């Protein structure tokens, strides 16, 4: 498995974990909130907080870069 594929799998895993955590927090905080609303709110928060993978060209070839709101520096692969 290449480094780029590992980063993409890590991104989706982190996004899924963020979605589940927000879902359960909404379930604990608001018992009468209906399921579709919990899903929509969780999805919006997940999109905002999930890491981004960006590819860019350099002289040595394509490189992938992981940017996240919680990290100060981008991780280059």
């Amino acid at each position: 498995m290449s480094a780029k594929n590992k980063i993409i799998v890590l991104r989706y895993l982190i996004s899924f974990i963020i979605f589940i955590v927000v879902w359960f927090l909404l379930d604990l905080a608001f018992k009468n909130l209906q399921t579709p609303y919990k899903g929509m709110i969780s999805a919006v928060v997940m999109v905002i907080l999930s890491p981004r993978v960006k590819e860019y060209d350099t002289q040595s070839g394509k490189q992938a870069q992981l940017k996240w709101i919680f990290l100060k520096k981008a991780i280059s692969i």
Side-chain angles (χ1 to χ4, degrees):
M1 186 183 282
S2 69
K4 178 185 169 189
N5 290 340
K6 289 180 185 178
I7 291 294
I8 291 172
V9 169
L10 180 66
R11 174 186 171 214
Y12 286 121
L13 182 66
I14 290 171
S15 297
F16 179 71
I17 290 171
I18 290 171
F19 182 85
I20 295 298
V21 167
V22 172
W23 179 280
F24 283 120
L25 287 175
L26 286 172
D27 191 42
L28 290 174
F30 306 104
K31 291 289 185 187
N32 59 354
L33 188 63
Q34 295 176 358
T35 304
Y37 295 120
K38 282 191 272 190
M40 287 186 285
I41 293 169
S42 298
V44 168
V45 172
M46 178 198 66
V47 167
I48 293 170
L49 295 180
S50 65
R52 312 271 191 275
V53 177
K54 185 176 183 181
E55 284 191 19
Y56 60 95
D57 292 325
T58 61
Q59 290 179 347
S60 61
K62 289 187 176 184
Q63 289 196 354
Q65 191 175 42
L66 180 76
K67 290 184 177 183
W68 199 10
I69 194 169
F70 300 116
L71 297 176
K72 289 185 180 180
K73 294 182 180 179
I75 299 172
S76 295
I77 302 294

